Amino acid sequence: MSAHPARACGIDFGTSNSTVGWLRPGAATLLALEGDKATLPSAVFFNADEETTHFGRDALAEYLEGYEGRLMRALKSLLGSSLMDGSTEVGGRALRFRDLLASFIGQLKTRAESQAGRPFEQAVFGRPVHFVDDNEVADRRAQDTLEAIARQVGFSEVSFQFEPIGAALHYEAGLDREELVLIADIGGGTADFSLVRLSPERAGRTDRRDDLLGNAGLHVGGTDFDRALSLECVMPLLGYRGLMKNGVEIPSNLFFQLATWHTINFAYTRQAFADFQHIYRDAAARRELDRLARLIGQREGHWLALQVEQAKIDLSSGVTTLLQLDRLEAGLTHGISREDFSAATRNLVERVAATVGSLLDQAGVAREKVDTLYFTGGASGVPQLRARIAAELPQAHCVEGDLFGSIGAGLAMEAARRYG
């Protein structure tokens, strides 16, 4: 490490959580962004009662305290989507999604500079291997949009590094021998993999292209696990897969909106309410739809999504969890088991495993040649997902990195290398 602080920072703008890393002697790499916490949840709450804007844990706390307003999460998922050029209503006015992202990334910059006691004009941003699956034009547009937003908030020089490579650089700093490593970075929005040769000697090289044997990724992450768990185990309590009087299933669009973070507010529009009233008149599942009516009427969609997210977390460490759903119906509880969670997410897990297998095949690397499987990203803690990936590499030693910090720390190293 240089005897002087780096000029630039590394920014991991994540779907669920974000970090900023800055390499300087004798100090932690990650900067505190909210109190003493190095992570800032990627959430914004517009408080309509007090006409204030809140970020991170503060945003979630304001929402849960019951203030009127708009909670936005999974902001990164907007990049590369058709929503990016649109807007949403906040406090009776239109707010462009592009400006929403700028407000959050501007906060990352402001908070990092406050902690560092100096401005940052250069930054290396992490990016998923694919912002958008199987669409190079849309993928490039997503990166260009993020770069334009970064410049809008005050960065004069912006470059990018794949997020799993950032994690690889962080892991490599602690190695004492060469390893062939599969980096598994599974965050809130994407699952990304890099197969890379790492060693103390290789760490000093400027050009690492020969060490990178392959990258692969897909748009599956923690929010997808939340959605699958919600649809399979919670939304049936609200009428999902219930029946109309004529025997056909209740239309599912509203349930999918409520199970997906960045579309929850669409369930509160006049059109959505008119559609719901039409369904209610002809539905057989009245008790469940009464709960749904209460959820929509009280705008409790984000509250329910938080309960589902917590259930996912609980089931990653325990075998059962009990949801307290009294806001939907007095005394309502609902138990979910890890087996339920595994069944709900089986297709997602298999898609991720297939991506790992494809990467190894394309790189021409035999499974038994991989020394280490390195996990980072919050969703890599989902047990059925971790076990399935590990099954692809039966000889590899599994290592758990800093699930929320290794990418930001590695990007800080890359920023110091690129900008001094």
Side-chain angles (χ1 to χ4, degrees), residues 10 29-30 161 165-170 405-415:
T29 301
L30 296 181
Q161 178 58 277
I165 295 298
L169 296 174
H170 182 243
S406 60
I407 295 172
L411 293 172
M413 298 170 65
E414 183 73 354

Side-chain angles (χ1 to χ4, degrees), residues 9-13 19-21 105 108-109 123-126 155 408 411-412:
C9 63
I11 297 181
D12 177 22
F13 170 44
T19 61
V20 179
I105 292 170
L108 292 177
K109 185 175 190 292
V124 175
F125 275 75
F155 290 107
L411 293 172

Side-chain angles (χ1 to χ4, degrees), residues 116-134:
R118 50 148 293 172
F120 289 117
E121 295 185 357
Q122 298 90 9
V124 175
F125 275 75
R127 59 148 293 163
V129 174
H130 301 298
F131 278 108
V132 182
D133 294 340
D134 303 319

Side-chain angles (χ1 to χ4, degrees), residues 307-378:
Q307 309 315 303
V308 173
E309 182 181 36
Q310 187 59 50
K312 175 191 68 178
I313 294 168
D314 293 344
L315 292 170
S316 294
S317 58
V319 295
T320 61
T321 190
L322 185 67
L323 276 69
Q324 303 290 336
L325 301 175
D326 54 315
R327 295 193 190 186
L328 304 180
E329 180 183 295
L332 180 64
T333 62
H334 183 58
I336 306 176
S337 69
R338 183 178 288 181
E339 288 78 9
D340 296 331
F341 184 29
S342 296
T345 58
R346 186 169 292 118
N347 289 340
L348 294 174
V349 168
E350 288 304 319
R351 285 177 60 196
V352 173
T355 299
V356 172
S358 178
L359 169 60
L360 294 166
D361 291 342
Q362 290 176 14
V365 173
R367 274 44 172 187
E368 63 271 16
K369 296 296 184 182
V370 178
D371 300 303
T372 303
L373 174 55
Y374 181 85
F375 290 104
T376 188

